[in-house]
Every structure is written in C-alpha cells, then in structure tokens.
Amino acid sequence: MQSAPHRLETASGFVVDTLSVGATLSSLVVPTAREPVDVVLGYAAPTLYLTDRQYIGSTVGRYANRLADGVIKIAGTTYTLARAADARHCLHGGPVGFGRRLWRREAAARDSVRYELCSEAGDQGFPGTLNVAVVYRVAEPATLDITYSATTDATTVISLTNHSYLNLHGPDSSIDGHSLTLYADRYLPVDDELIPTGDTRSVAGTAFDYRTARKLGSEAALDTCFALSSNRDTLALAARLSSPQSGIDMTLRTTQDALQVYTGDYLHHPFRARAGLCLETQSFPDAPNQAVFPTTIIRPGERYQQQTRYEFAIHS
C-alpha cells in the first residue's frame, strides 16, 4: 500500500497532497499574506480513508451521486447494483466504490501525479471492465487541475467526481460566511429521497438562485444538483467561492454537465456539521434511468474524458 501522500507544489507555496487510497485529495494548502491555509478537510492518517463513509476528498465512481433503486438498464439488459445495507438506492458507485479502493500511483512528479484503477466487470454490479485514470496537476501560482479518463471493454455508464469538502476559512471553522456564486440557470428538482424527477427548472425566484454572490449561513441545507452550460470540450465557469476571513477566492471551471452542491450538514465525527462545502462536478444524477438527461454511456473504442480546474487567488 502506498500510504504516504504524494506532494505537488509550486514555487509560490501552493501545496497539494494526494493519496493512493481512493485517489484522494487529502490536503490543499493556499499561501496567504498571514499564513498558509489548508482549504480541504482531511483525516489525520491515510489508513482512516479505507473505512471512510463521508467520501472525504475521494475520487467517486463508477457513478457519482444516486442511481434510483440500485438499478440501471443498458441496451435492454437490467443490472442490479450494490447498495449499502440500509440504502434503497446506489450512492457514489456502491458501498465499495472507487473512494474505498487502492489505486496505483504512476508518473509521479513535483507538479503532477497519475492514479490508475482497473474496475473489473461486475464490480459493484456494473457491466464492463473499466480502466480509469485520474491526474492531478498544479500550475503557478495556485491552480489545480483534475483530469479523469476511462475506457471500457463493454458498454457501461460512468460519472466521476472529486468529493472534497472545501472551507476557505481554514480548519475548525464553519462554511457560514463564505460568498458563493453558481453559474447555473437551472437546477434538478428531486423527490424526498433525492432522486431527480427528470425535469430541470429555472433557479429564478427560488432558493437555488446563486447567480449573484450570496453569503452562506441562512439557507436551508443544500444537497442540490445544478445544470451547467458545459459542452464537454472546453472548461466553463461553474462556481466562485470566497472567504472574507482568509482572503482566499476560488474559481471553479469544468467540462462536466452538472454541479452537486452539498453544504455538509450531515458531516459527523471527526468533523462537524457544515465544516466543509462540496462542489462536485459530475454528470446528471440517475441519468441512466432518465432518458431526457445527457447520456453517460461509454462504449468499447470510446474514451471518457473530463476536467475540473480550481484556481485560487488572494484578495486584500
């Protein structure tokens, strides 16, 4: 087991630690005028990620978010997926999804690292052997790119994301007081079990309208998916997050179709509720079961490729 983190860093003092457990982003340190600030939640020891059920910093797959009733149908064949013992739906790829797996660390350098995983046919009930790679790369002064790629030997579905909990205030703080902007005109309504209804609705006049910056803290708990204007070819603006406490601004860009925003209200030990904010770039939840959603099918000979970019800056 490659238990020690691999460190990426820039000359400006931007430092990113990753782990082979779950191809995890375990630390992301942004230099400020006062002191460096670690802006993601992480466990004290790499071995704790093996039993983690909060997806702290992990690469989530094969399918991020929920698949209704733990079932998908592909080309007329129904596949029953693995679910947690107390769950009706398949969440984040199943109870032993990619975030609980040991990835192979390859091509490790000061500015980048590549993690690879072979998910065999039938893994958590999904068809096809999927060969997956995640590359973390840093650039001056404080930019992190995460690139996901995959190929398959049989038709299957895929949606990968990183499940970091962000807190630009720094450790031991609530996310309340952050300023959040979302570049999304529409959101996905869900039922009482957080399964999309198959519709998208305008955010105008709703509690989900973050098109202009809003302070976090007074809203009800968010665990909401927003439709983005990405075209899978170019990096498009998805969100901005800012902390008046640390002076850190973050811009999020992605090629993905959707952004799941989770305010961490159900975080638990060793973390506190609302200690981190998830901004999960991904495909639409339950898309394999929703004909009107963008497809998440991948076939032999095709290549899945997505990218997400985090750009950090300091304001006075």
Side-chain angles (χ1 to χ4, degrees):
M1 173 179 173
Q2 294 168 314
S3 59
H6 179 75
R7 174 157 292 181
L8 311 175
E9 53 189 330
T10 71
S12 303
F14 182 57
V15 179
V16 173
D17 285 344
T18 65
L19 297 168
S20 57
V21 180
T24 292
L25 174 59
S26 59
S27 178
L28 194 160
V29 176
V30 179
T32 74
R34 293 187 293 273
E35 60 183 353
V37 178
D38 193 342
V39 299
V40 297
L41 301 188
Y43 287 106
T47 53
L48 296 176
Y49 289 89
L50 287 171
T51 55
D52 168 56
R53 296 190 182 277
Q54 303 184 81
Y55 308 97
I56 303 295
S58 66
T59 297
V60 169
R62 283 188 191 192
Y63 203 96
N65 219 310
R66 291 164 178 81
L67 292 167
D69 299 316
V71 169
I72 56 173
K73 184 177 287 187
I74 301 175
T77 300
T78 298
Y79 298 89
T80 300
L81 309 176
R83 296 168 291 172
D86 58 349
R88 176 180 171 183
H89 310 294
C90 180
L91 176 64
H92 289 332
V96 193
F98 291 177
R100 301 281 298 280
R101 306 281 288 279
L102 292 176
W103 295 56
R104 297 186 309 277
R105 183 188 299 162
E106 305 285 351
R110 183 180 180 185
D111 67 342
S112 66
V113 63
R114 177 184 176 94
Y115 291 97
E116 297 178 354
L117 180 71
C118 178
S119 174
E120 300 287 350
D123 183 8
Q124 301 296 286
F126 289 92
T129 295
L130 199 68
N131 287 295
V132 187
V134 175
V135 176
Y136 291 93
R137 184 180 301 274
V138 297
E140 296 286 356
T143 294
L144 171 65
D145 278 329
I146 306 178
T147 303
Y148 309 90
S149 60
T151 57
T152 183
D153 65 357
T155 302
T156 190
V157 297
I158 184 170
S159 174
L160 303 180
T161 193
N162 179 272
H163 205 285
S164 288
Y165 289 82
L166 293 154
N167 191 324
L168 306 187
H169 294 336
D172 304 319
S173 297
S174 165
I175 61 170
D176 294 344
H178 281 78
S179 177
L180 176 65
T181 308
L182 301 177
Y183 295 89
D185 296 328
R186 304 188 71 80
Y187 75 99
L188 279 60
V190 295
D191 64 18
D192 58 3
E193 295 183 341
L194 299 181
I195 299 299
T197 63
D199 189 16
T200 63
R201 294 181 187 168
S202 172
V203 300
T206 75
F208 305 116
D209 192 348
Y210 284 80
R211 290 176 296 177
T212 57
R214 289 172 56 182
K215 292 277 189 188
L216 295 178
S218 59
E219 78 289 329
L222 280 179
D223 197 356
T224 305
C225 192
F226 294 82
L228 300 176
S229 300
S230 301
N231 61 14
R232 296 178 179 256
D233 293 321
T234 58
L235 285 165
L237 272 171
R240 290 189 191 275
L241 188 66
S242 179
S243 165
Q245 183 171 314
S246 66
I248 299 173
D249 290 328
M250 187 195 80
T251 301
L252 180 67
R253 303 175 190 271
T254 189
T255 58
Q256 303 248 45
D257 290 323
L259 179 70
Q260 184 79 18
V261 179
Y262 172 47
T263 47
D265 294 78
Y266 298 101
L267 274 169
H268 51 81
H269 183 79
F271 310 103
R272 297 181 303 166
R274 297 182 69 87
L277 172 72
C278 290
L279 297 173
E280 305 161 50
T281 59
Q282 57 186 243
S283 298
F284 281 29
D286 201 39
N289 300 317
Q290 307 274 0
V292 297
F293 286 173
T295 184
T296 55
I297 291 286
I298 180 175
R299 298 175 178 85
E302 297 177 344
R303 184 177 183 84
Y304 171 91
Q305 181 111 3
Q306 300 288 356
Q307 183 182 358
T308 296
R309 175 172 293 170
Y310 306 80
E311 298 169 305
F312 295 89
I314 306 299
H315 62 79
S316 56

PDB file of all heavy atoms in Angstrom, residues 35 47 53 56 110 118 153 174 186 215 221 241 260 295-296 315:
ATOM      1  N   GLU A  35      -0.800  33.523   6.679  1.00  0.00           N
ATOM      2  CA  GLU A  35      -0.289  32.175   6.891  1.00  0.00           C
ATOM      3  C   GLU A  35      -0.895  31.251   5.846  1.00  0.00           C
ATOM      4  O   GLU A  35      -1.952  31.553   5.284  1.00  0.00           O
ATOM      5  CB  GLU A  35      -0.652  31.682   8.296  1.00  0.00           C
ATOM      6  CG  GLU A  35      -2.149  31.635   8.553  1.00  0.00           C
ATOM      7  CD  GLU A  35      -2.486  31.221   9.966  1.00  0.00           C
ATOM      8  OE1 GLU A  35      -1.568  30.843  10.704  1.00  0.00           O
ATOM      9  OE2 GLU A  35      -3.679  31.272  10.316  1.00  0.00           O
ATOM     10  N   THR A  47      -4.653   5.619   6.582  1.00  0.00           N
ATOM     11  CA  THR A  47      -5.422   4.389   6.774  1.00  0.00           C
ATOM     12  C   THR A  47      -6.883   4.667   7.123  1.00  0.00           C
ATOM     13  O   THR A  47      -7.752   3.822   6.887  1.00  0.00           O
ATOM     14  CB  THR A  47      -4.788   3.540   7.896  1.00  0.00           C
ATOM     15  OG1 THR A  47      -4.631   4.355   9.069  1.00  0.00           O
ATOM     16  CG2 THR A  47      -3.428   3.006   7.460  1.00  0.00           C
ATOM     17  N   ARG A  53     -16.757   6.799   5.300  1.00  0.00           N
ATOM     18  CA  ARG A  53     -18.077   6.731   4.666  1.00  0.00           C
ATOM     19  C   ARG A  53     -18.623   8.124   4.370  1.00  0.00           C
ATOM     20  O   ARG A  53     -19.801   8.278   4.078  1.00  0.00           O
ATOM     21  CB  ARG A  53     -19.048   5.941   5.554  1.00  0.00           C
ATOM     22  CG  ARG A  53     -18.629   4.494   5.723  1.00  0.00           C
ATOM     23  CD  ARG A  53     -19.695   3.653   6.381  1.00  0.00           C
ATOM     24  NE  ARG A  53     -19.248   2.285   6.562  1.00  0.00           N
ATOM     25  CZ  ARG A  53     -19.292   1.340   5.617  1.00  0.00           C
ATOM     26  NH1 ARG A  53     -19.769   1.644   4.417  1.00  0.00           N
ATOM     27  NH2 ARG A  53     -18.860   0.115   5.856  1.00  0.00           N
ATOM     28  N   ILE A  56     -14.481  11.747   2.063  1.00  0.00           N
ATOM     29  CA  ILE A  56     -13.619  12.913   2.286  1.00  0.00           C
ATOM     30  C   ILE A  56     -12.503  12.958   1.244  1.00  0.00           C
ATOM     31  O   ILE A  56     -11.570  12.161   1.263  1.00  0.00           O
ATOM     32  CB  ILE A  56     -13.022  12.879   3.711  1.00  0.00           C
ATOM     33  CG1 ILE A  56     -14.111  12.829   4.778  1.00  0.00           C
ATOM     34  CG2 ILE A  56     -12.088  14.079   3.928  1.00  0.00           C
ATOM     35  CD1 ILE A  56     -14.991  14.048   4.843  1.00  0.00           C
ATOM     36  N   ARG A 110       6.891  16.475  -9.383  1.00  0.00           N
ATOM     37  CA  ARG A 110       6.644  17.577  -8.454  1.00  0.00           C
ATOM     38  C   ARG A 110       5.356  18.325  -8.787  1.00  0.00           C
ATOM     39  O   ARG A 110       4.679  18.850  -7.903  1.00  0.00           O
ATOM     40  CB  ARG A 110       7.814  18.551  -8.466  1.00  0.00           C
ATOM     41  CG  ARG A 110       7.649  19.682  -7.456  1.00  0.00           C
ATOM     42  CD  ARG A 110       8.813  20.647  -7.469  1.00  0.00           C
ATOM     43  NE  ARG A 110       8.611  21.705  -6.492  1.00  0.00           N
ATOM     44  CZ  ARG A 110       9.421  22.740  -6.351  1.00  0.00           C
ATOM     45  NH1 ARG A 110      10.477  22.863  -7.121  1.00  0.00           N
ATOM     46  NH2 ARG A 110       9.168  23.671  -5.442  1.00  0.00           N
ATOM     47  N   CYS A 118      -8.184  -0.483 -12.233  1.00  0.00           N
ATOM     48  CA  CYS A 118      -8.951  -1.378 -13.097  1.00  0.00           C
ATOM     49  C   CYS A 118     -10.157  -1.879 -12.314  1.00  0.00           C
ATOM     50  O   CYS A 118     -10.010  -2.558 -11.302  1.00  0.00           O
ATOM     51  CB  CYS A 118      -8.094  -2.554 -13.562  1.00  0.00           C
ATOM     52  SG  CYS A 118      -9.011  -3.727 -14.596  1.00  0.00           S
ATOM     53  N   ASP A 153     -14.356  -2.281 -21.979  1.00  0.00           N
ATOM     54  CA  ASP A 153     -14.427  -3.370 -22.958  1.00  0.00           C
ATOM     55  C   ASP A 153     -15.864  -3.795 -23.232  1.00  0.00           C
ATOM     56  O   ASP A 153     -16.105  -4.718 -24.014  1.00  0.00           O
ATOM     57  CB  ASP A 153     -13.590  -4.573 -22.497  1.00  0.00           C
ATOM     58  CG  ASP A 153     -14.114  -5.229 -21.229  1.00  0.00           C
ATOM     59  OD1 ASP A 153     -15.108  -4.731 -20.645  1.00  0.00           O
ATOM     60  OD2 ASP A 153     -13.536  -6.253 -20.806  1.00  0.00           O
ATOM     61  N   SER A 174     -16.768  26.933  10.439  1.00  0.00           N
ATOM     62  CA  SER A 174     -17.958  26.611   9.661  1.00  0.00           C
ATOM     63  C   SER A 174     -17.831  27.253   8.284  1.00  0.00           C
ATOM     64  O   SER A 174     -17.107  28.238   8.103  1.00  0.00           O
ATOM     65  CB  SER A 174     -19.197  27.143  10.375  1.00  0.00           C
ATOM     66  OG  SER A 174     -20.314  27.147   9.510  1.00  0.00           O
ATOM     67  N   ARG A 186     -30.301  26.651 -14.146  1.00  0.00           N
ATOM     68  CA  ARG A 186     -31.312  25.638 -13.882  1.00  0.00           C
ATOM     69  C   ARG A 186     -30.806  24.647 -12.836  1.00  0.00           C
ATOM     70  O   ARG A 186     -29.597  24.449 -12.680  1.00  0.00           O
ATOM     71  CB  ARG A 186     -31.696  24.889 -15.166  1.00  0.00           C
ATOM     72  CG  ARG A 186     -32.171  25.834 -16.289  1.00  0.00           C
ATOM     73  CD  ARG A 186     -32.733  25.099 -17.485  1.00  0.00           C
ATOM     74  NE  ARG A 186     -34.025  24.478 -17.194  1.00  0.00           N
ATOM     75  CZ  ARG A 186     -35.182  25.129 -17.188  1.00  0.00           C
ATOM     76  NH1 ARG A 186     -35.228  26.437 -17.447  1.00  0.00           N
ATOM     77  NH2 ARG A 186     -36.312  24.496 -16.933  1.00  0.00           N
ATOM     78  N   LYS A 215     -24.135  35.035   0.610  1.00  0.00           N
ATOM     79  CA  LYS A 215     -23.442  34.553   1.799  1.00  0.00           C
ATOM     80  C   LYS A 215     -24.076  33.248   2.265  1.00  0.00           C
ATOM     81  O   LYS A 215     -25.303  33.133   2.362  1.00  0.00           O
ATOM     82  CB  LYS A 215     -23.536  35.579   2.933  1.00  0.00           C
ATOM     83  CG  LYS A 215     -22.765  36.861   2.670  1.00  0.00           C
ATOM     84  CD  LYS A 215     -21.305  36.712   3.033  1.00  0.00           C
ATOM     85  CE  LYS A 215     -20.599  38.059   2.973  1.00  0.00           C
ATOM     86  NZ  LYS A 215     -19.146  37.898   3.127  1.00  0.00           N
ATOM     87  N   ALA A 221     -30.382  23.543   4.325  1.00  0.00           N
ATOM     88  CA  ALA A 221     -29.341  22.631   3.866  1.00  0.00           C
ATOM     89  C   ALA A 221     -29.441  22.427   2.365  1.00  0.00           C
ATOM     90  O   ALA A 221     -30.525  22.185   1.828  1.00  0.00           O
ATOM     91  CB  ALA A 221     -29.462  21.305   4.589  1.00  0.00           C
ATOM     92  N   LEU A 241     -16.116  30.814  -5.080  1.00  0.00           N
ATOM     93  CA  LEU A 241     -16.251  30.751  -3.634  1.00  0.00           C
ATOM     94  C   LEU A 241     -15.229  31.693  -3.031  1.00  0.00           C
ATOM     95  O   LEU A 241     -14.069  31.713  -3.457  1.00  0.00           O
ATOM     96  CB  LEU A 241     -16.017  29.313  -3.148  1.00  0.00           C
ATOM     97  CG  LEU A 241     -16.296  29.002  -1.687  1.00  0.00           C
ATOM     98  CD1 LEU A 241     -17.793  29.142  -1.365  1.00  0.00           C
ATOM     99  CD2 LEU A 241     -15.811  27.589  -1.343  1.00  0.00           C
ATOM    100  N   GLN A 260     -23.051  19.272  -8.207  1.00  0.00           N
ATOM    101  CA  GLN A 260     -23.774  18.965  -6.981  1.00  0.00           C
ATOM    102  C   GLN A 260     -23.201  19.829  -5.863  1.00  0.00           C
ATOM    103  O   GLN A 260     -22.000  19.803  -5.596  1.00  0.00           O
ATOM    104  CB  GLN A 260     -23.644  17.477  -6.615  1.00  0.00           C
ATOM    105  CG  GLN A 260     -24.456  17.050  -5.407  1.00  0.00           C
ATOM    106  CD  GLN A 260     -25.929  16.841  -5.712  1.00  0.00           C
ATOM    107  OE1 GLN A 260     -26.308  16.685  -6.871  1.00  0.00           O
ATOM    108  NE2 GLN A 260     -26.762  16.815  -4.682  1.00  0.00           N
ATOM    109  N   THR A 295     -26.545  11.699 -21.913  1.00  0.00           N
ATOM    110  CA  THR A 295     -26.122  10.309 -21.757  1.00  0.00           C
ATOM    111  C   THR A 295     -24.822  10.191 -20.965  1.00  0.00           C
ATOM    112  O   THR A 295     -23.946  11.067 -21.048  1.00  0.00           O
ATOM    113  CB  THR A 295     -25.958   9.622 -23.123  1.00  0.00           C
ATOM    114  OG1 THR A 295     -25.634   8.230 -22.902  1.00  0.00           O
ATOM    115  CG2 THR A 295     -24.862  10.269 -23.940  1.00  0.00           C
ATOM    116  N   THR A 296     -24.701   9.105 -20.218  1.00  0.00           N
ATOM    117  CA  THR A 296     -23.467   8.788 -19.503  1.00  0.00           C
ATOM    118  C   THR A 296     -22.915   7.439 -19.967  1.00  0.00           C
ATOM    119  O   THR A 296     -22.073   6.844 -19.301  1.00  0.00           O
ATOM    120  CB  THR A 296     -23.694   8.768 -17.985  1.00  0.00           C
ATOM    121  OG1 THR A 296     -24.767   7.863 -17.681  1.00  0.00           O
ATOM    122  CG2 THR A 296     -24.040  10.154 -17.471  1.00  0.00           C
ATOM    123  N   HIS A 315      -7.355  38.013  -2.091  1.00  0.00           N
ATOM    124  CA  HIS A 315      -7.773  39.417  -2.163  1.00  0.00           C
ATOM    125  C   HIS A 315      -7.438  40.100  -0.841  1.00  0.00           C
ATOM    126  O   HIS A 315      -7.303  39.465   0.201  1.00  0.00           O
ATOM    127  CB  HIS A 315      -9.270  39.552  -2.480  1.00  0.00           C
ATOM    128  CG  HIS A 315     -10.181  38.943  -1.448  1.00  0.00           C
ATOM    129  ND1 HIS A 315     -10.488  39.568  -0.261  1.00  0.00           N
ATOM    130  CD2 HIS A 315     -10.862  37.767  -1.441  1.00  0.00           C
ATOM    131  CE1 HIS A 315     -11.318  38.818   0.433  1.00  0.00           C
ATOM    132  NE2 HIS A 315     -11.554  37.725  -0.249  1.00  0.00           N
TER     133      HIS A 315
END
